[in-house]
Amino acid sequence: MALEISMEGIEARARDLGIDLSAVDLDAVALPAGEDFGIISDDEEILRDDDPMELEMGFANIVVVDNLPVVPPEKFDKLENVVRKIYSQIGVIKEGGLWMPVNPDTKKTYGYCFIEYNTPQEAELAREKTNGYKLDKSHIFAVNMFDDFDKYMKVPDEWMPAEIKPYTAGENLQKWLTDEKARDQFVIRASTVTEVYWNDARQKMPELVFQKQYWTDSYIQWSPLGTYLATVHRQGSQVWGGDDKFERLMRFAHPQVKLIDFSPGEKFLVTYSSHEPNNPRDTHRVVLNIFDVRTGKVMRDFKGSADEFAASGNISVSGVSWPIFRWGGGKDDKYFARLGKNIISVYETETFSLLDKKSLKIENVVDFCWSPTDPIIALFVPELGGGNQPARVSLVQIPGKEELRQKNLFSVSDCKLYWQNSGEYLAVQVDRYTKTKKSTYTGFELFRIKERDIPIEVLELDNKNDKIIAFAWEPKGHRFAVIHGDGPKPDISFYTMRTTNNINRVSKLTTLKSKQANALFWSPGGRFIVFAGLKGFNGQLEFYNVDELETMATGEHFMATDIMWDPTGRYLASAVTSVHEMENGFQIWSFSGKQLYKVSKDHFYQVWMDVHP
């Protein structure tokens, strides 16, 4: 908190000390080099970037409604009441906030009005919902933001060619891949400081690359191919990159942004914010922007209530699951989609409009996910009519929207979809009711996507009543692992989609009994896997070689909350974040389970290994 002292106070203090201020050259006063006495200067980047002055909203909360009927004085009140009734349904109109100008000569209205809301978000929603509203055959509303008029008035009457700036070479955003020691980077966030390190396993300690205080207001995130490091601020998001200076590459203005998500090919960035409603009966107001990462241009925005964007996802924020948009078609970033009520809306990024100008209508659809490599959607529809209409899983090809394969499922309680990262297989975990409906059991439907007619195999565990705790495909491989069981020490089974004779049939490789694990972490290159006991299992780790079906090492990171491999599969990070008050920090392990070094950090929030393109 800044200490404020009035000029009168300074003069009084100077008199007490016997100092004549008129004789002091204030312009000559300077702090010693490199010293700020803990006081942040007004022009420091930290204030310019992360704590800008709150500006008045100006006229951003006012809309102009045109094409109203032109009425005489006796019909003025009736028209005003009609307009107020329409626009008060969208938000709270300020007292005296509806103004319909009148022609002083004719005493009739001009045919437009101004409406002032409490917030800019309500004004934006009013424009979005009522622009084009048909009052009657002769009067179709044309609604604009008041601030837009100033923008349009500044457009010059004559066209002027844009200034062509000379080309200047930018930073090599992937220079870190050429490190002479073949090291990879990782970023951590602790207290108010964010730091980027080289993982120097040979020296058994990290080497600092870059450090900045108050670099982000909430969290940090590497982009999917490791090109950018993104930070989140009250006024929007920013991306950074380069060799070791981490220059700011682009800003994305989005006030009160809470979450961000990159497209797989890093071409686009989705930002999300939610705003408290003025009326307690209303839901949160949601704003989503999709930016072009390189230019910073908003390619498409979406606004509405939280109910309109409610769908299945990973993180729930204000009743909305994240990510709202799911990207398809691999790293080309050609399509993105979101789940709605009885629909899946698929958009293409060439025009950022709905594919074929209409959504996929699928009665009662509750979940979907894209193939990681191909424009194929897997979707799940639960049972309807008390079981008279079975549940089903369908594969739909985009952009043609052809159904490639469908499987009907009976007596289904729940269903989960797991794609293998090369798009070769889809595992559908199906929880079914027993005949008595008092309990459930689990099996798997395994789709071979690349084979003719997409054959499906059914897999049941040896004890089909075992609870499934975790499932994970081997990256770039043909195996998968399942943690299953009901006791405090469940079993772990490994299966392969290919037998030794290369016959395409699922078979079990082995079952490991009584393991203290509830999470699976395959190495990015496959072959090796870590069984982790997080939360209630107190950080038990087991490093396992699936090729040899043998344990390489066991370890423990007490109270571990997070596990992450480096992109090469050589090293693994385990961390205890600030959800625990004690033991905060991280440890680096070799792929074979040797602890290489440990770093303790108070108020430790995040560790994130960089990724490779």
Side-chain angles (χ1 to χ4, degrees), residues 390-401:
R392 76 176 192 273
V393 171
S394 296
L395 298 176
V396 179
Q397 178 84 50
I398 300 298
K401 301 181 181 178

Side-chain angles (χ1 to χ4, degrees), residues 350-422:
E350 187 173 343
T351 62
F352 280 85
S353 58
L354 270 174
L355 187 64
D356 297 333
K357 299 182 180 179
K358 58 184 178 181
S359 298
L360 276 166
K361 292 185 178 180
I362 305 162
E363 186 71 22
N364 210 37
V365 61
V366 296
D367 195 14
F368 81 95
C369 55
W370 289 91
S371 161
T373 55
D374 303 297
I376 299 173
I377 288 176
L379 62 92
F380 170 60
V381 178
E383 292 180 350
L384 296 173
N388 293 326
Q389 185 174 329
R392 76 176 192 273
V393 171
S394 296
L395 298 176
V396 179
Q397 178 84 50
I398 300 298
K401 301 181 181 178
E402 306 98 343
E403 187 172 69
L404 301 176
R405 193 72 159 89
Q406 177 181 312
K407 179 66 182 288
N408 290 334
L409 306 168
F410 298 89
S411 301
V412 174
S413 164
D414 194 15
C415 200
K416 294 182 176 68
L417 308 172
Y418 301 100
W419 281 97
Q420 184 247 15
N421 76 334
S422 298

Side-chain angles (χ1 to χ4, degrees), residues 1-5:
M1 183 175 181
L3 180 63
E4 297 184 2
I5 305 175

Side-chain angles (χ1 to χ4, degrees), residues 506-548:
V506 64
S507 60
K508 187 170 75 170
L509 297 172
T510 190
T511 294
L512 309 175
K513 297 289 187 179
S514 302
K515 294 295 182 179
Q516 283 188 290
N518 55 12
L520 299 165
F521 298 93
W522 282 96
S523 163
R527 184 181 177 185
F528 306 113
I529 191 172
V530 170
F531 318 141
L534 305 180
K535 299 180 181 178
F537 281 23
N538 291 328
Q540 299 294 319
L541 304 175
E542 182 170 343
F543 296 77
Y544 193 77
N545 183 334
V546 185
D547 281 359
E548 304 298 330

Side-chain angles (χ1 to χ4, degrees), residues 2-23:
L3 180 63
E4 297 184 2
I5 305 175
S6 67
M7 194 62 200
E8 291 80 1
I10 294 173
E11 291 172 346
R13 182 60 175 157
R15 285 194 298 272
D16 293 341
L17 296 173
I19 298 173
D20 182 5
L21 286 180
S22 62

